[in-house]
Amino acid sequence: MTDNAQTVRYVRETMIPPSEPPLTEQGAVKWMRENLFSGWKNSLLSILSIYVLAKLLISMVPWFWNSVWTAGSLNECRETLAVLDGLNTHGGACFAVISDRWLQLLFGFYPAESYWRPILVFVLMFVALAPILFSARLPKQMLWFSILFPFIGTWLLWGGSFWLPVLVIIGFVVGAIGFAVGGRVAGTFGALTLGVLGAALWWMVAMPAANNALHKAVALSRIDATKAELVEALATNPEQIKAIEAEQATLQEQINAMTAEKDALVVEMLAAREAGSEPSSEQKAAFEAIMDELMVARRQNTALGFSAFKLQQQVSDANGLLANIQALPQWEADLPKAIATAAELDAALPAGMHNLVSVNQVPAGTPAEVVDTLRAYLDADTAVLNLQANIETAYERLGVLGLTPVTSRDFGGFMLAMIIGVAGIVLSLPLGILLALARQANLPIVKGFAVAFIEIIRGVPLIVWLFTASLLLNYFLPPRTSFDLVLRVVIMVTLFAAAYIAEVIRGGLAALPKGQFEAADSLGLDYWKSMRLIVLPQALKISIPGIVNTFIGLFKDTTLVGIIGLLDPLNLSNSIRAAAEWNGVYWELFVFIGLLFFVSCFSMGRYSLWLEKKLQRGHR
Amino acid sequence: MSELAIERQIDRSHMTISDEVAIQINNMNKWYGQFHVLRDINLTVQRGERIVICGPSGSGKSTLIRCINRLEEHQSGDIIVDGTELTSDLKNIDKIRSEVGMCFQHFNLFPHLTILENCTLAPIWVRKVPRKEAEDIAMHYLEKVKIPDQAHKYPGMLSGGQQQRVAIARSLCMKPRIMLFDEPTSALDPEMIKEVLDTMIELAEEGMTMLCVTHEMGFAQAVANRVIFMDQGQIIEQNEPHAFFNDPQSDRTKLFLSQILGH
């Protein structure tokens, strides 16, 4: 301590109490001063942005405000706008197209009487996701439903017999048993081999056999009842169709009358506008009333047309099925004979020619009669396969016990985007984690495979992969196997997203201090345990923004499936525009589709923010 | 490089060294690429020994103790811990690691788990102890390191000294037979060093076999039965603490001691 005259001993005995901040440092004034007008440059920028914002709102709000929701076509929208508000086409939106076609935009061509199925799946999806998304607040037992949901959901959407999901689940059980047994006998390698082999054998051999047997049993048990039903449908449906058509004719007359009335009113009101005066409020009310009536009548007409179409479809289905039932005994009698013929011809072939699948493959200099035998054998083989396929399909159609099957071709709209998006998201996360771990592994082959996979998948546009899924995959698959287009697209989208997610997670892994790995090791945790308990929880937490970013991208990319002919919402908007009534409607459809996607993506983003906040653990 | 005098009375009644060999290192060599980090290390540690390893930075002392639980791989010679030789056999490595506790300079607590979960994780997943029992064990050791009231906080909310004590408790929950300390106080403020050293002294008083890489010479004088001085990857000198500090033999040791003790 220096000896300084200025140094006086001082001890504070009372603390100064806190006092109010000055007025300019409180409330809205403070906020505006700090955030909008903190200097002349910032003030200028603030005023400019407010001006731009106001301009935008002024031009957009009336378009939404004056929108027309009740109209049967774009022309009627324009009429309504002109008559009621005296506006041109750009003065208001024609959301009538949405009220007319929203179901189609949501479900594509999914049969209307089965809309409850995708809706139920949508609701169940939240039940299944809830215990995963909010694990701390919900009981763990709910996860059982989450595990079963993919099977239930698939069955509900595509329909078919109720035992199908059960048979698929049994495959997983077989795989698990194989895994356990193999693990006891030959370690990890044995477990993996036996598990995969067991499940694959079940799905490819046992499951189709069991499925066919069940269908056959059901079909045979009720074949007489089915026949009676079909015959009755054939007898009664034509009359019903006629009745409906008569009803439609009268309705159409009414619609025509109403349209004429409306047109007259429109001419009258437009004349008034020409003359410079506003149409009277009675006229406006009359116009609105007649438009409402007209819409009701048209909807009724569409519904009638729809039921007539259904009845017609039943008739053609019944004809086909009855033909099948009649042909079945003959097919079943022919099958053993065909098999015998094929076997005989096969035996007659010289060695080395049994594997050929075309006469073009015979080596040069083969005698003509051998070529003929081969041709006969190939024909016989095809006949056998055709007979088998015919019998199988017939029993399957007759023996469905559950929900009416719906083909992937009828899937479309936002439902399709949800199916592909959700399946892709759910499947790509675990795959991405495995890829990220593989890329970090010390095993050169595993690592090389992961790197090659990630780089190849990332380096090629998604559209190319989608084309691969829809066209090229058939070349790589064994002949006569084909699987569902939507499933193929889901696989491609999953692989694509997984490559991105792997890289995002690799970033998370790299951000973890090396000490975390060492601490886990030093406690004696093995590789998988230290990954599961220590490394991945932290790495995934760091990667949440990137992962959700990838998910959002994946979800929006589902609109690309339109390019390979699936009916995504954008593709549907094209086909809606192709209808004469709605030719020329663009913005309204895009606004609606955009809104659907925005709501989904925005909720994902919000969830990720919430999760990040929840997982915050004090300062580091 | 602080030297805190240890003022407390140390209870030496349990500090007994048995004939049983805890760690045996024969002619061990290690390279990082071309760089020869550890050269011909020979070391025998008896059960109950408290060994302090010191030396300038880069002398290989951390690498040496990290070889003992194979956080680092040695390239020649053998290391036998508790009668099990360290080879590339993963089962042996995990077995040895679960018997050998380790504390790091930067604590390396798991930030996403509470203090209690940090302590119960390894007993539950490695030793298969039921959760309730593991929690009882954890609370016992947390009381021992005097922070039972922090059990449900996350590591990020604790001070450095508290975190290091938790790290010690976490290792003890595995009931290790040997404890390794890798500069446990180097990242701490002076006032926190004492609380960690106290915990380590208590551990020594109970007869734990300990290997400490540290610059706390007060601790070495008070607790260690042997001090090892390393330089350039070799053991230069080892002796019991009194002789080591008062009568160092090699010039390298003399220089090091004069620097670290600040005379």
Side-chain angles (χ1 to χ4, degrees):
Chain A
M1 193 102 352
T2 50
D3 195 22
N4 191 330
Q6 295 298 312
T7 312
V8 181
R9 191 171 167 272
Y10 172 77
V11 177
R12 183 182 293 288
E13 269 156 0
T14 50
M15 305 301 273
I16 304 170
S19 56
E20 284 267 301
L23 257 181
T24 47
E25 285 301 306
Q26 296 182 56
V29 180
K30 176 192 179 207
W31 186 90
M32 300 237 291
R33 266 171 59 102
E34 277 184 0
N35 296 300
L36 296 179
F37 306 107
S38 58
W40 69 269
K41 274 188 211 158
N42 285 354
S43 305
L44 201 72
L45 274 176
S46 298
I47 291 168
L48 200 73
S49 346
I50 291 169
Y51 173 76
V52 171
L53 215 73
K55 262 288 198 210
L56 267 174
L57 283 178
I58 286 167
S59 62
M60 273 167 64
V61 168
W63 189 73
F64 283 99
W65 185 251
N66 293 324
S67 54
V68 178
W69 287 85
T70 325
S73 66
L74 185 57
N75 273 334
E76 285 185 2
C77 269
R78 287 173 178 160
E79 269 175 15
T80 312
L81 279 173
V83 163
L84 294 183
D85 305 307
L87 290 169
N88 63 13
T89 328
H90 302 295
C94 179
F95 285 119
V97 66
I98 307 299
S99 55
D100 189 34
R101 297 295 185 98
W102 65 282
L103 282 171
Q104 202 183 1
L105 283 169
L106 290 184
F107 298 107
F109 294 106
Y110 205 87
E113 73 272 16
S114 301
Y115 279 165
W116 64 272
R117 278 153 56 177
I119 294 170
L120 182 63
V121 171
F122 186 68
V123 173
L124 290 180
M125 179 188 81
F126 287 105
V127 181
L129 285 178
I132 299 168
L133 298 182
F134 306 100
S135 52
R137 300 183 183 186
L138 291 164
K140 279 219 163 68
Q141 288 81 352
M142 276 181 76
L143 283 171
W144 283 108
F145 180 74
S146 309
I147 293 171
L148 289 180
F149 172 72
F151 306 102
I152 300 172
T154 318
W155 175 61
L156 279 171
L157 286 171
W158 274 272
S161 303
F162 71 86
W163 56 73
L164 266 171
V166 181
L167 289 176
V168 175
I169 292 172
I170 292 175
F172 281 99
V173 175
V174 170
I177 293 171
F179 189 84
V181 173
R184 207 156 296 164
V185 177
T188 319
F189 178 74
L192 280 177
T193 321
L194 216 61
V196 172
L197 207 71
L201 272 179
W202 172 268
W203 283 324
M204 289 164 75
V205 181
M207 192 175 94
N211 190 25
N212 287 340
L214 282 167
H215 275 134
K216 186 171 177 180
V218 173
L220 289 179
S221 74
R222 63 179 192 194
I223 200 149
D224 290 328
T226 318
K227 226 194 266 182
E229 252 171 56
L230 294 172
V231 170
E232 204 199 305
L234 281 179
T236 56
N237 280 12
E239 280 169 36
Q240 287 176 356
I241 293 171
K242 240 174 233 162
I244 289 171
E245 276 168 354
E247 210 178 325
Q248 266 188 305
T250 35
L251 197 58
Q252 190 58 50
E253 265 169 42
Q254 285 172 15
I255 290 172
N256 290 345
M258 279 191 270
T259 314
E261 200 182 327
K262 180 212 72 176
D263 286 345
L265 203 54
V266 168
V267 170
E268 219 174 277
M269 288 162 87
L270 283 180
R273 283 210 181 273
E274 288 277 296
S277 64
E278 186 83 358
S280 70
S281 55
E282 288 91 44
Q283 279 178 317
K284 284 187 179 182
F287 177 79
E288 277 173 353
I290 207 161
M291 279 304 286
D292 283 342
E293 270 175 54
L294 201 50
M295 289 312 292
V296 172
R298 278 181 188 148
R299 252 171 228 147
Q300 210 181 335
N301 196 18
T302 317
L304 283 175
F306 183 70
S307 42
F309 172 74
K310 276 278 144 192
L311 288 169
Q312 191 59 53
Q313 214 172 29
Q314 272 178 15
V315 170
S316 58
D317 279 355
N319 277 326
L321 275 177
L322 278 176
N324 275 351
I325 293 176
Q326 247 160 10
L328 257 176
Q330 189 59 48
W331 286 339
E332 282 185 321
D334 287 346
L335 185 60
K337 285 184 223 156
I339 292 174
T341 321
E344 245 170 61
L345 287 165
D346 192 26
L349 281 175
M353 297 194 73
H354 299 282
N355 295 329
L356 303 185
V357 293
S358 157
V359 279
N360 299 328
Q361 291 174 324
V362 290
T366 316
E369 66 260 30
V370 174
V371 177
D372 285 342
T373 321
L374 180 64
R375 186 174 288 122
Y377 161 68
L378 288 175
D379 288 347
D381 195 41
T382 314
V384 168
L385 288 170
N386 283 342
L387 274 175
Q388 277 171 340
N390 283 344
I391 293 169
E392 234 170 66
T393 330
Y395 279 130
E396 203 176 316
R397 287 181 70 189
L398 290 167
V400 169
L401 201 64
L403 299 167
T404 329
V406 179
T407 60
S408 290
R409 231 174 314 133
D410 293 338
F411 281 49
F414 194 64
M415 179 188 91
L416 184 68
M418 282 293 277
I419 292 171
I420 298 173
V422 172
I425 285 170
V426 169
L427 295 172
S428 64
L429 185 60
L431 190 63
I433 292 174
L434 285 180
L435 278 171
L437 291 180
R439 194 167 185 170
Q440 293 245 313
N442 289 327
L443 312 162
I445 294 177
V446 173
K447 186 178 175 167
F449 175 78
V451 172
F453 180 89
I454 291 170
E455 297 302 342
I456 290 172
I457 294 272
R458 273 202 312 179
V460 177
L462 179 58
I463 294 180
V464 175
W465 290 121
L466 290 177
F467 272 119
T468 313
S470 77
L471 304 168
L472 227 65
L473 221 57
N474 279 345
Y475 289 107
F476 300 129
L477 290 171
R480 282 175 209 282
T481 51
S482 73
F483 60 106
D484 192 85
L485 183 58
V486 171
L487 183 63
R488 281 187 261 169
V489 167
V490 166
I491 290 173
M492 276 305 173
V493 169
T494 302
L495 296 182
F496 195 75
Y500 280 86
I501 284 176
E503 286 298 279
V504 171
I505 293 175
R506 191 168 69 98
L509 289 172
L512 270 198
K514 208 172 150 236
Q516 291 292 313
F517 295 83
E518 287 178 351
D521 283 349
S522 76
L523 286 170
L525 293 169
D526 62 30
Y527 176 79
W528 289 109
K529 278 181 194 148
S530 74
M531 287 300 137
R532 209 184 104 201
L533 301 166
I534 309 299
V535 175
L536 282 177
Q538 297 184 59
L540 288 179
K541 192 192 120 192
I542 300 171
S543 319
I544 288 172
I547 292 175
V548 174
N549 201 18
T550 313
F551 283 168
I552 289 176
L554 180 158
F555 189 62
K556 289 186 299 181
D557 280 352
T558 55
T559 47
L560 288 176
V561 300
I563 288 175
I564 55 166
L566 287 174
L567 291 167
D568 78 294
L570 286 180
N571 214 3
L572 267 176
S573 85
N574 284 336
S575 58
I576 289 173
R577 245 190 315 281
E581 315 85 278
W582 299 117
N583 197 347
V585 174
Y586 284 90
W587 288 108
E588 293 80 354
L589 288 168
F590 292 148
V591 166
F592 181 69
I593 296 164
L595 195 70
L596 289 176
F597 276 98
F598 176 77
V599 168
S600 323
C601 296
F602 185 70
S603 3
M604 280 194 259
R606 287 282 112 179
Y607 173 76
S608 99
L609 280 182
W610 176 83
L611 190 64
E612 270 174 73
K613 209 171 258 173
K614 198 190 83 153
L615 293 177
Q616 219 128 63
R617 299 281 191 247
H619 313 281
R620 283 220 45 180
Chain B
M1 307 280 169
S2 64
E3 194 214 352
L4 286 176
I6 305 291
E7 282 158 6
R8 55 180 281 182
Q9 279 295 311
I10 291 173
D11 169 16
R12 296 181 182 275
S13 58
H14 296 288
M15 289 193 186
T16 48
I17 297 167
S18 76
D19 292 341
E20 198 188 331
V21 174
I23 302 169
Q24 175 81 50
I25 301 177
N26 299 325
N27 296 327
M28 191 257 279
N29 280 282
K30 173 167 179 61
W31 287 264
Y32 282 132
Q34 289 295 313
F35 180 56
H36 200 168
V37 212
L38 292 176
R39 309 178 194 182
D40 276 333
I41 302 285
N42 285 290
L43 181 67
T44 308
V45 180
Q46 239 76 22
R47 190 160 303 291
E49 274 203 280
R50 300 150 318 269
I51 296 176
V52 163
I53 304 171
C54 59
S57 68
S59 59
K61 48 196 193 309
S62 283
T63 313
L64 171 61
I65 69 164
R66 287 158 63 86
C67 280
I68 293 171
N69 65 353
R70 210 176 170 96
L71 288 182
E72 305 282 353
E73 202 176 320
H74 60 282
Q75 276 87 37
S76 77
D78 19 77
I79 302 176
I80 299 154
V81 181
D82 252 346
T84 314
E85 191 181 345
L86 269 176
T87 55
S88 55
D89 184 350
L90 287 174
K91 283 223 173 82
N92 275 351
I93 294 174
D94 281 339
K95 181 169 167 278
I96 285 171
R97 282 173 177 170
S98 63
E99 300 294 337
V100 178
M102 180 151 193
C103 289
F104 301 87
Q105 181 178 358
H106 295 289
F107 335 129
N108 295 350
L109 293 179
F110 305 130
H112 63 300
L113 301 176
T114 62
I115 300 307
L116 189 63
E117 286 165 342
N118 262 282
C119 294
T120 55
L121 184 105
I124 290 174
W125 289 94
V126 180
R127 291 246 194 277
K128 312 277 182 223
V129 177
R131 177 171 296 274
K132 187 76 201 57
E133 201 178 310
E135 281 174 2
D136 291 343
I137 298 171
M139 285 313 292
H140 168 75
Y141 284 110
L142 287 175
E143 265 160 39
K144 216 174 163 109
V145 301
K146 303 188 185 65
I147 32 178
D149 45 327
Q150 316 278 11
H152 295 285
K153 289 190 181 171
Y154 287 96
M157 304 167 178
L158 268 53
S159 74
Q162 289 174 321
Q163 290 196 37
Q164 192 60 291
R165 284 186 281 150
V166 172
I168 294 172
R170 177 176 72 177
S171 298
L172 293 179
C173 284
M174 288 293 280
K175 309 236 165 94
R177 297 165 62 111
I178 302 165
M179 281 291 290
L180 308 174
F181 291 88
D182 187 2
E183 307 205 21
T185 55
S186 301
L188 295 176
D189 294 336
E191 49 185 316
M192 291 172 184
I193 291 177
K194 188 176 170 301
E195 57 187 59
V196 172
L197 287 184
D198 276 342
T199 309
M200 288 168 66
I201 291 167
E202 273 167 39
L203 204 54
E205 283 173 340
E206 283 164 22
M208 174 67 77
T209 312
M210 293 163 76
L211 268 82
C212 310
V213 172
T214 182
H215 299 298
E216 297 301 330
M217 292 305 145
F219 173 78
Q221 270 167 331
V223 177
N225 68 302
R226 183 150 47 127
V227 181
I228 293 176
F229 175 68
M230 285 182 73
D231 193 19
Q232 294 177 11
Q234 301 161 68
I235 295 178
I236 305 287
E237 187 168 346
Q238 48 177 316
N239 212 335
E240 56 91 18
H242 186 77
F244 180 85
F245 288 111
N246 295 317
D247 183 22
Q249 300 297 312
S250 100
D251 293 341
R252 193 69 198 84
T253 318
K254 283 177 195 161
L255 180 67
F256 175 74
L257 284 176
S258 72
Q259 280 167 348
I260 201 166
L261 298 176
H263 294 307

